[in-house]
Amino acid sequence: METKRLTSADVEAGAEIIAKGGLLGIPTETVYGLGANGLDPNAVKAIFEAKGRPQDNPLILHIPDESWLERYCEDIPATAYELAERFWPGPLTMILPRKAIVPDVVTAGLDTVGMRCPDCAVTWAVIGLADVPVAAPSGNASGRPSPTTAEAMLEDMDGKIDAILDGGPCAVGVESTIIDLTVQPPRLLRPGGVTLEELEEVLGEVAVDDAVRRLMAPEEQPKAPGMKYRHYAPKAPVTVVKGDPDMTAGYIAARMGEGSGILCFDEFKGYFRGHPVVTMGPVSDQAEQAREIFEALRAFDHMEVTDIWAQSPSDGGIGLAVTNRLNKAAGFHIIEL
Ligand code: TXA
Ligand code: MG
């Protein structure tokens, strides 16, 4: 990830904020995070307050490399090291049995903890200097789309945090993949920057948690508590239309109402005359769609729209993560053509 504008003095100031129990906006390759000392229960509580995050939704710990796993986890399977070797630093969070040193407030009382090594030089340096794991959820207010720029994070967090390290736009754009290694077969809890297909190359069979592809009923408990909450949503309701892009564009153009906003592929920008249009990259460029999806969803909150129609990206590779975020933003209100 780009680390423009940042100096070693910024890194030192950031590490000091963490060490003193403050809140720091940190860049990562996925999305910006709201970081604090993961061993300091009061600092971690402040994260929940700043985000308005429900207490039962655990946080993940960010570490500089896999040698730190043993500090915070036990019964670590060999597969954890195989995954680290292949994908760390990078957009993969592993759920592992935790040690008692990890405060309850981090794990929301679970006996497991999520561990991630972000691919971002600035954030490594901050963690290394502070010499503590950094607990960090995405840097949005709870329920809002995750921030992929420092500006987007400030929209939600200005006045609530001590500082933000601006590392420029995030290279991946959707949050890390979460894999639960405490069950057999390992279970994908959240699709992200590392694809299901890539995980299968290392792990063989991988189960996909139900919460990835459908709406959970209120009484159901997804394994990643965060997957049950309405998330990523702009203020106006979203309808996703799935199918061949020419068909979905035609379907939307025929049905959009007076106040409708449209989220579409670049190629279809000109289809929806007189309507606010936000694009999410070309049909065939999934990496670009991942980088743009959250900014696109955020953009509608700055427009006068009563409802939003969205073309659905395809869901292979990183597309599984992009469609998961969009479908969640739509409360799984999806029309299949
Ligand atoms: O890319 C990312 O993962 C970003 C950057 C900042 O690192 N972080 C992020 O954190 O997305 P957050 O808190 O927004 O999402 C973490 C998800 C939540 O859905 C949470 O419920 C789940 O991980 N989670 C955390 N600990 C867990 C655990 N022990 N077992 C199951 N799920 C867990
Ligand atoms: Mg989040």
Side-chain angles (χ1 to χ4, degrees):
M1 132 168 231
E2 224 180 321
T3 52
K4 62 186 182 190
R5 287 169 282 186
L6 290 172
T7 63
S8 56
D10 295 322
V11 170
E12 281 162 29
E16 194 164 325
I17 288 171
I18 297 286
K20 287 191 168 152
L23 294 182
L24 179 69
I26 52 168
T28 82
E29 80 284 22
T30 58
V31 302
Y32 276 75
L34 175 50
N37 178 354
L39 299 180
D40 175 345
N42 287 325
V44 173
K45 274 184 205 135
I47 294 179
F48 284 86
E49 277 157 29
K51 270 187 75 102
R53 181 173 175 110
Q55 296 284 342
D56 67 348
N57 193 0
L59 305 180
I60 61 182
L61 292 181
H62 296 70
I63 56 175
D65 62 61
E66 62 267 33
S67 73
W68 283 34
L69 282 178
E70 280 182 23
R71 298 189 189 183
Y72 311 112
C73 305
E74 57 193 9
D75 301 328
I76 304 168
T79 47
Y81 292 102
E82 287 164 31
L83 290 172
E85 166 85 16
R86 167 106 187 250
F87 301 114
W88 277 8
L92 180 69
T93 297
M94 303 185 216
I95 305 297
L96 292 164
R98 68 145 158 160
K99 282 189 170 158
I101 185 178
V102 179
D104 278 342
V105 57
V106 170
T107 67
L110 297 177
D111 52 12
T112 57
V113 61
M115 303 298 296
R116 157 154 149 78
C117 172
D119 187 8
C120 175
V122 170
T123 294
W124 283 330
V126 169
I127 300 169
L129 259 182
D131 199 28
V132 291
V134 169
S138 50
N140 50 289
S142 201
R144 297 254 298 147
S146 300
T148 54
T149 62
E151 291 77 15
M153 179 159 175
L154 277 181
E155 234 175 63
D156 290 11
M157 291 298 156
D158 203 8
K160 298 182 176 170
I161 59 177
D162 295 297
I164 179 166
L165 295 175
D166 185 351
C170 299
V172 175
V174 289
E175 303 90 338
S176 61
T177 303
I178 303 181
I179 184 85
D180 185 351
L181 296 179
T182 67
V183 290
Q184 207 35 259
R187 178 172 287 259
L188 178 74
L189 303 187
R190 179 176 73 182
V194 170
T195 66
L196 175 60
E197 295 84 346
E198 288 172 321
L199 288 175
E200 284 167 342
E201 283 169 24
V202 177
L203 297 172
E205 189 188 355
V206 174
V208 177
D209 200 67
D210 267 358
V212 170
R213 292 199 172 105
R214 66 174 179 83
L215 189 62
M216 300 301 276
E219 67 279 8
E220 286 180 289
Q221 286 298 334
K223 285 271 289 179
M227 294 291 274
K228 74 171 174 259
Y229 293 106
R230 182 167 186 266
H231 211 169
Y232 311 123
K235 292 183 184 105
V238 181
T239 303
V240 174
V241 187
K242 205 175 155 183
D244 173 79
D246 284 310
M247 304 269 294
T248 58
Y251 183 94
I252 292 169
R255 280 162 188 81
M256 59 193 177
E258 186 146 348
S260 299
I262 316 294
L263 175 58
C264 68
F265 299 114
D266 291 359
E267 291 89 336
F268 297 93
K269 205 160 88 187
Y271 258 57
F272 311 99
R273 286 272 154 72
H275 289 259
V277 168
V278 178
T279 56
M280 56 178 160
V283 170
S284 60
D285 190 343
Q286 291 186 305
E288 184 63 19
Q289 292 156 18
R291 278 190 294 272
E292 294 200 17
I293 189 72
F294 285 136
E295 275 297 295
L297 289 169
R298 277 179 175 261
F300 287 107
D301 285 345
H302 300 289
M303 300 173 172
E304 295 285 318
V305 295
T306 52
D307 58 291
I308 298 162
W309 291 89
Q311 289 187 287
S312 179
S314 61
D315 65 3
I318 198 169
L320 184 62
V322 180
T323 53
N324 167 264
R325 305 310 189 270
L326 180 58
N327 293 345
K328 283 180 70 92
F332 286 86
H333 186 219
I334 305 166
I335 294 168
E336 288 204 42
L337 300 186

